[in-house]
Amino acid sequence: MNVNIMNVDYSTKIPNNVNLSADRQVLKALEGWHPGYMNWWSDMGPEGFQQSLVYLRTAYSVDPRGWAKFDYVRMPDYRWGILLAPQEENRVIPFGEHYGEPAWQEVPGEYRAMLRRLIVIQGDTEPASVEQQRHLGKTAPSLYDLRNLFQVNVEEGRHLWAMVYLLQKYFGRDGREEADELLRRRSGDADSPRMLGAFNEATPDWLSFFMFTYFTDRDGKMQLHSLAQSGFDPLSRTCRFMLTEEAHHMFVGETGITRVVQRTCEAMKAAGITDPTDVAKVRALGVIDLPTIQKKLNLHYSLSLDLFGSEVSTNAANAFNAGIKGRYHETQIKDDHRLRNDTYPVLKLVDGKITRVDEPALTALNMRLRDDYTQDCVKGLLRWNKVISTAGYAYKLTLPHVAFHRAIGEFKDIHATPDGVLIDSATWNKRRHEWVPSTEDGDFIASLMKPVTGIGEFAPWISPPKVGINNKPGDFEYVKIET
Ligand code: BYC
């Protein structure tokens, strides 16, 4: 393996393993973009704490055996670098009409617009999530959680750099314009919103943050896996390295929810509560009741399903045919990787009923990826339910039906219960807050969001983690808060 690609050059302003110092034009373009990025970070990045020392990991190599180092860093001094996974020798395009041809090192002219669109959409989500989470530092339940939030934020910032590098290097002037636009749009802005629905929603509290990192970052994982299959090799290599960092984000979500559920169950047991659906009694203990956790889960799962686009999509078929966006674990699938004659079952609305219909597999690729996503989501639910059953409660968290609370695709114009029963608008309006959080639910959760900044201390609504970051002990000072 090439040694240069494994280690990162920190001598240029922008750390990288793509030999930027020999690529003056791109280096100049990126250095030109850098001040705008720093302005964006100071305006839209985490509120406060910018002068605090945070125990962060920074990627210093792309060697999977040891790629990150941990140290105290002030967030604005974080080295946002451009890191691509090592180039695989003789890599071929693993699917579509160009199956078996050598992977492209340059953008194929005929697919330029399609590639640019996908890179821009991917890039747009990264700063959006930082914007959505910027106020959460003020209410962190511990220094451990505060550090995890900032770790996620700086890495989403790096993922923006990753996409901007591709735009600047491979898309000339349009790429530079798109890179500037990525710093201009704002999550939730009425005039200039982020591109995808879920990235314009609020992340009002820490339970939402954990749900977001569990469900929405997992969409990121699936999309990055599909793009990591791309015949455009620089995109593939970029996404492969991003996935290394992404795993921690989902860990933060999964363990965060586990710790909330754990604390609720402990508190209920200690108080002798036998009915976990007795919301008032549970809330009086200062913990989040399981039915409210279920409502948050319903909301974030359904918002994340929307990120997969329509179940039946010619965009998806075109991107696959072109060799630009593949399937999850494409190279491990045993078929012709062209999908010329295959079908795939899709749930559709037929004569007012939710019906399984066989669609050409090519146009059903969003559905397939979404099914893979759902299977991946189930794993966390099994863990959370284990905590509940071990505590002796019969309550089960479940994923809502795919027709529930949708804004994109087959079910966007109907209403359904979490069990997938179709209901009319009047019933939906009357009952929706049985299924998605109401203002009162939000107010209750908000009332618990009091910052805890003592070393080794945790807010009373969440359990401490089982192990520390980088094996640090429970009394480790993850953030040295500058006041
Ligand atoms: N909101 O054929 P259709 C992450 C538009 S998350 C608004 O149904 P397609 C992260 C669509 O653009 C991963 N609009 O869908 C997580 C199209 O419009 P145009 C982000 C939407 O194209 C946490 C029209 O509807 N990466 O990384 O097959 C923290 C018809 O489109 C939405 C990607 O998503 C929506 N939800 O699939 C940080 C990968 N859905 O073009 C980061 C790149 C669809 O006709 N993107 N539309 O005007 C893609 O692969 C695809 O564009 C999509 C949509 C999966 C998003």
Side-chain angles (χ1 to χ4, degrees), residues 311-312 344-359 367 401-403 410-411 420 422:
E311 291 82 349
V312 178
Y344 189 85
V346 176
L347 286 186
K348 296 182 83 172
L349 205 59
V350 182
D351 298 332
K353 286 208 182 75
I354 300 174
T355 314
R356 240 177 135 85
V357 180
D358 279 336
E359 287 287 332
M367 180 75 195
H401 193 277
V402 294
E410 277 295 308
F411 305 111
L422 296 181

Side-chain angles (χ1 to χ4, degrees), residues 93 95-96 98 104 107-108 111-112 114-116 118 226-232 235-236 318-326:
I93 300 167
F95 59 91
H98 302 280
W104 302 297
V107 177
Y111 304 136
R112 188 183 156 88
M114 186 192 285
L115 254 174
R116 195 183 76 189
L118 291 179
S226 310
L227 295 173
Q229 302 290 340
S230 185
F232 179 49
L235 176 60
S236 162
N318 291 339
F320 183 87
N321 274 336
I324 299 294
K325 185 179 173 192

Side-chain angles (χ1 to χ4, degrees), residues 387-448:
V387 173
I388 301 173
S389 63
T390 305
Y393 292 101
Y395 195 92
K396 255 197 161 103
L397 294 167
T398 53
L399 291 177
H401 193 277
V402 294
F404 170 77
H405 190 244
R406 298 298 308 282
I408 298 278
E410 277 295 308
F411 305 111
K412 68 179 186 330
D413 298 323
I414 55 98
H415 293 296
T417 67
D419 295 331
V421 176
L422 296 181
I423 50 174
D424 59 23
S425 296
T427 313
W428 169 259
N429 288 331
K430 212 163 73 208
R431 297 191 61 190
R432 61 179 295 174
H433 290 307
E434 292 173 33
W435 306 313
V436 289
S438 63
T439 312
E440 292 78 51
D441 295 326
D443 290 347
F444 169 69
I445 298 175
S447 75
L448 300 180

Side-chain angles (χ1 to χ4, degrees), residues 305-357:
L305 289 183
D306 282 343
L307 295 173
F308 289 84
S310 306
E311 291 82 349
V312 178
S313 162
T314 47
N315 282 344
N318 291 339
F320 183 87
N321 274 336
I324 299 294
K325 185 179 173 192
R327 289 171 292 177
Y328 185 53
H329 292 158
E330 180 71 49
T331 47
Q332 292 162 33
I333 300 172
K334 300 225 171 338
D335 64 11
D336 70 350
H337 300 282
R338 286 190 169 91
L339 302 177
R340 281 191 188 130
N341 304 308
D342 301 11
T343 59
Y344 189 85
V346 176
L347 286 186
K348 296 182 83 172
L349 205 59
V350 182
D351 298 332
K353 286 208 182 75
I354 300 174
T355 314
R356 240 177 135 85
V357 180

